[in-house]
Amino acid sequence: MTIRVLIADDQAMVRSGLKLILEDQPDIDVVAEASDGVDAIARARRLRPDVCLVDIRMPRLDGIEVTRALAGPGVPNPLRVIVVTTFDLDEYVYGALRGGAAGFILKDAGPALLVEAVRAAHNGDALVSPSITVRLLRHLTAPAPRPDRSLPALSEREIEVVRKIARGRTNLEIGAELFITLSTVKSHVSTIQTKLGLRNRTEIAVWAYENRIVETA
């Protein structure tokens, strides 16, 4: 199956470079490009690509707003969005992931990580550049949990799966580490999303760190 990708970046050279990297893969096809946020949203909604690569700083609408419009809370049939940027700032990372992004990749992370992020997003996983993961998790755990907020009743196994997701494990890795089948992992993930009212693995990871299910140490 070919993964259809949209690239949104205001620099033509960057778009060309990303396109060359992705189309060098036999299972990835760049179906559209956009130079600003408004055009990115319009093209994405019309073409429904499998994955959207979106820069943070673009004219008219920035990448955070584009992410919220395509993948944010309340969006019917959300698309999978990966934020790709040179700006390694906490507020951008947090805003993108809270806005529904399926990944956050720095442009200097290298071609292999970019391709891996696209495939992960297409498979329903999420990938964040390793260089910012630890700092991001510290940022997510900074607020103290509200004492009057009771946590949903997750089973011990579901809690284990949540912790693995928050640590960036794929479904295959979770299955291997917990000695369960891939279909069982998928079933657990689906049940967790339903119980928590979340739509994807990224939101599960954010929930885990916000509620101190996983510690950064």
Side-chain angles (χ1 to χ4, degrees):
M1 178 181 294
T2 300
I3 304 171
R4 301 168 62 253
V5 177
L6 175 146
I7 299 173
D9 195 295
D10 61 337
Q11 298 182 45
M13 289 184 64
V14 172
R15 294 197 307 273
S16 297
L18 294 174
K19 183 176 181 178
L20 283 173
I21 292 170
L22 295 176
E23 292 204 326
D24 190 46
Q25 305 300 313
D27 59 336
I28 299 176
D29 182 27
V30 176
V31 297
E33 299 179 34
S35 59
D36 65 68
V38 173
D39 190 30
I41 292 172
R43 289 172 183 255
R45 286 175 173 169
R46 184 175 73 253
L47 297 173
R48 303 289 303 176
D50 298 307
V51 178
C52 301
L53 296 181
V54 177
D55 188 26
I56 285 285
R57 295 187 179 180
M58 294 187 293
R60 298 208 280 175
L61 282 179
D62 65 27
I64 302 298
E65 291 300 319
V66 172
T67 300
R68 289 175 183 154
L70 297 178
V75 175
N77 301 315
L79 294 170
R80 297 183 176 99
V81 178
I82 299 172
V83 173
V84 185
T85 183
T86 57
F87 300 102
D88 181 9
L89 299 176
D90 286 345
E91 59 265 32
Y92 288 161
V93 181
Y94 190 67
L97 296 181
R98 291 297 290 170
F104 192 102
I105 303 297
L106 298 179
K107 289 179 180 177
D108 63 1
L113 193 64
L114 174 68
V115 172
E116 183 182 353
V118 169
R119 289 177 177 148
H122 183 250
N123 291 329
D125 293 333
L127 191 151
V128 177
S129 286
S131 62
I132 61 177
T133 300
V134 173
R135 199 183 67 251
L136 167 65
L137 301 185
R138 287 175 181 159
H139 179 67
L140 290 175
T141 56
R146 289 177 288 178
D148 61 340
R149 183 181 181 182
S150 59
L151 299 180
L154 298 180
S155 69
E156 287 188 18
R157 178 63 86 186
E158 289 163 355
I159 290 292
E160 288 179 325
V161 172
V162 166
R163 287 178 177 143
K164 297 295 184 183
I165 290 173
R167 290 299 187 190
R169 303 294 194 269
T170 65
N171 285 347
L172 284 173
E173 290 170 335
I174 293 172
E177 292 177 11
L178 297 182
F179 303 101
I180 56 179
T181 66
L182 180 60
S183 62
T184 300
V185 175
K186 291 180 178 179
S187 177
H188 283 314
V189 173
S190 177
T191 300
I192 290 164
Q193 288 177 233
T194 299
K195 286 185 176 181
L196 300 181
L198 304 175
R199 299 179 307 159
N200 54 49
R201 298 166 63 91
T202 305
E203 291 185 359
I204 291 174
V206 171
W207 177 89
Y209 283 101
E210 286 181 331
N211 290 280
R212 307 294 178 90
I213 302 300
V214 178
E215 298 297 335
T216 58

